[in-house]
Amino acid sequence: MTYEPDPRRWKALAVSLTAGFMGLLDVSIVNVALPSMQAGLHASSGGIRWVVSGYALAFGLVLVTGGRLGDAFGRRNMFLGALAAFVLTSALAGAAPNETTLVLARLAQGVAAGMLTPQNTGLIQDLFRGAERGRAFGMFGAVVGISTAVGPILGGFIIALFGSQDGWRWVFYVNVPIGALAFALALRLLPRSEKKQLKISSEIDFVGIVLLAVAVLGVLLPVVDADQGGLTRMWWLFIVAVVFGVAFVRWEHSVVRRGRSPLLDTRLFTGTPGYAAGAAVGALYFCGFAGIWLVFAIYFQQGLGYSPLQSGLSVTPFALGSAVSAAVAGRLVPRFGRRLTVTGLGMVAVGLLAVALLAELVPPSASGWAFAVPLVFAGVGGGMVISPNTTLTLECVPVRMAGVAGGALQTGQRIGTAIGTAVLASVFGMVLGRGYPAALTVALSCAAFLTCGALALALAELRARRRRASEQEREASQTADVHRA
């Protein structure tokens, strides 16, 4: 069948990325709003902590399932349903009269966002081919990186605009008009899904869903509760996670052998070049990258007495650098490939180490300005990581597995986010007795170390790509010699 591009594909992509941006933004935007929430609802510190961690937990738990449901029932149907649920739960979170309602609304909002996000990668696989697909994945990767970086800035602006008492509510309310507009445009622009005659028992892998959910929950639950002794009290959940993770892999192998539809086709990791390595690079990078925003929020607001807006503006250089380089890097992937992510990871590590050094050398009152240049440098590097890595990781994925592949990639990133945030916040708290500058230095040094781990994986993947390219050239040369003979 000849591929005929949809004339509305770029408009459809803009709509889907707008919705995806909202879901990803809500991972980080609430960090600067936590003091306002706690004061406005007279909430406990434990309950407020779950406003952040509960969303990340629910988000990461359903990503692969959301991708598989999109593959089975159609991207458009899943996109519209998940977007409607996200808008509704955002309104419920904003109107929450007490701590319990807010936490429950955030859990539901996380589920909706987790169902929504993998539809973006699936739609890109459906709508684009060749170089255009690379550009589209580059734009999606840019949205992932930028949404995480600008969250603290937008949260600070919203609270400054609507007041410290109830400003946190508008962090959620802002999703309602944007989401409603995106829903109306999606009805017009997204391609209609083919009607499928589905047998729920064979098309949806319910056993796989349960096994994966328990495995992911076993990793995330102790980590997101680490600052309250979760690692000590719930260490046994890591053993449960390993057991159920192994059971999940074995079950998925058996599902494939029987010719049924698996939740996560394990051939993605064994038969799709670059997917396993790219997913590992993304997960480890998010361990170091995503956790720095909570550390910076604590340092600036509690250590230096900054307002939420001032705190958000202090990390603006990273967001600006990331936004510019992500837009450019997405177009350079076909030319430079994995070298982009290697360079970007090196820049992020150097920039974070520079900030860590400056935190000890400059007076705290001048740190906001002193951090600007290295944060710009790190931001430029960050924009060169997420967008190209997303493109390179998904470039060889078959269209039929696009949704679940994107969901699995995002699951790794969400797990990395939860682990990195917990680790860096714990390290910051352990060193805080030596002062806020020392705590920031040690936490950012840990972030740089984790980034260097991702850099090592990216270098290994670069060598593997070069080896595959060399083998392909040799085989092509031998074939040509045979034909000439």
Side-chain angles (χ1 to χ4, degrees):
M1 182 181 294
T2 304
Y3 165 67
E4 295 183 4
D6 189 322
R8 299 181 298 179
R9 62 194 180 282
W10 291 107
K11 292 180 180 179
L13 177 65
V15 173
S16 70
L17 291 185
T18 299
F21 180 84
M22 290 192 301
L24 293 164
L25 182 71
D26 270 46
V27 176
S28 63
I29 194 173
V30 298
N31 283 329
V32 297
L34 294 182
S36 176
M37 289 181 195
Q38 191 165 5
L41 293 178
H42 305 289
S44 66
S45 59
I48 290 299
R49 184 179 65 254
W50 271 97
V51 171
V52 178
S53 58
Y55 182 85
L57 188 67
F59 197 136
L61 207 57
V62 302
L63 276 164
V64 174
T65 303
R68 180 67 191 100
L69 291 173
D71 291 338
F73 292 108
R75 326 270 189 229
R76 184 178 189 270
N77 297 332
M78 281 299 300
F79 182 91
L80 292 172
L83 179 57
F86 184 79
V87 171
L88 177 61
T89 52
S90 295
L92 291 175
N98 53 53
E99 171 188 324
T100 301
T101 305
L102 178 59
V103 171
L104 292 175
R106 281 288 282 175
L107 288 170
Q109 190 188 27
V111 171
M115 291 289 181
L116 179 64
T117 299
Q119 311 317 321
N120 284 291
T121 54
L123 285 166
I124 289 172
Q125 294 280 50
D126 287 346
L127 293 171
F128 299 95
R129 298 289 186 274
E132 281 193 345
R133 180 181 289 178
R135 287 177 56 196
F137 272 131
M139 295 171 68
F140 173 71
V143 165
V144 174
I146 294 170
S147 62
T148 305
V150 304
I153 305 168
L154 292 180
F157 270 114
I158 290 172
I159 293 174
L161 184 63
F162 292 100
S164 58
Q165 183 68 21
D166 289 321
W168 64 269
R169 297 185 183 276
W170 289 93
V171 169
F172 303 117
Y173 283 149
V174 72
N175 292 327
V176 176
I178 299 173
L181 178 60
F183 187 91
L185 292 173
L187 282 173
R188 293 182 52 194
L189 296 173
L190 294 189
R192 291 192 174 276
S193 308
E194 295 182 6
K195 297 293 184 181
K196 297 183 180 181
Q197 298 297 320
L198 294 176
K199 294 181 179 179
I200 298 298
S201 60
S202 61
E203 288 287 343
I204 304 301
D205 179 12
F206 290 107
V207 174
I209 290 172
V210 173
L211 292 174
L212 181 62
V214 175
V216 174
L217 193 65
V219 173
L220 290 183
L221 196 59
V223 169
V224 298
D225 203 36
D227 59 341
Q228 297 295 314
L231 294 176
T232 302
R233 290 184 292 104
M234 294 184 284
W235 60 268
W236 53 273
L237 281 176
F238 289 116
I239 300 175
V240 173
V242 171
V243 171
F244 276 80
V246 171
F248 171 74
V249 173
R250 292 174 65 88
W251 172 260
E252 295 303 288
H253 276 308
S254 70
V255 170
V256 172
R257 283 197 304 270
R258 285 179 281 145
R260 297 176 62 185
S261 299
L263 176 65
L264 177 59
D265 196 325
T266 52
R267 290 172 295 186
L268 275 172
F269 297 92
T270 58
T272 305
Y275 184 84
V281 168
L284 193 52
Y285 173 64
F286 267 78
C287 276
F289 160 72
I292 66 175
W293 308 119
L294 180 57
V295 168
F296 275 127
I298 296 172
Y299 174 77
F300 284 120
Q301 293 189 50
Q302 297 182 5
L304 304 186
Y306 283 17
S307 68
L309 177 58
Q310 291 172 320
S311 175
L313 290 175
S314 296
V315 296
T316 299
F318 189 104
L320 291 176
S322 179
V324 173
S325 68
V328 176
R331 298 175 179 270
L332 297 178
V333 174
R335 181 177 178 184
F336 295 103
R338 182 58 72 182
R339 286 175 291 173
L340 280 173
T341 56
V342 169
T343 303
L345 287 165
M347 292 177 66
V348 173
V350 170
L352 292 179
L353 287 174
V355 175
L357 180 63
L358 289 171
E360 290 280 17
L361 295 179
V362 303
S365 59
S367 59
W369 293 104
F371 295 168
V373 173
L375 283 177
V376 168
F377 186 79
V380 170
M384 296 166 62
V385 175
I386 300 175
S387 173
N389 187 63
T390 301
T391 303
L392 295 168
T393 303
L394 299 175
E395 64 180 351
C396 296
V397 173
V399 173
R400 62 185 174 81
M401 293 191 288
V404 71
L409 182 62
Q410 283 286 317
T411 298
Q413 293 176 1
R414 297 284 73 79
I415 292 175
T417 297
I419 293 174
T421 300
V423 168
L424 296 187
S426 297
V427 169
F428 187 92
M430 287 188 294
V431 187
L432 193 56
R434 293 162 45 190
Y436 281 94
L440 183 65
T441 296
V442 175
L444 292 184
S445 297
C446 288
F449 177 78
L450 292 168
T451 304
C452 287
L455 175 59
L457 292 175
L459 285 168
E461 160 64 2
L462 177 60
R463 287 194 293 269
R465 281 177 173 269
R466 287 174 173 172
R467 185 167 58 251
R468 289 196 299 267
S470 177
E471 291 172 354
Q472 290 171 356
E473 289 177 3
R474 185 165 57 252
E475 291 174 359
S477 177
Q478 291 173 351
T479 303
D481 290 341
V482 170
H483 286 310
R484 282 196 296 269

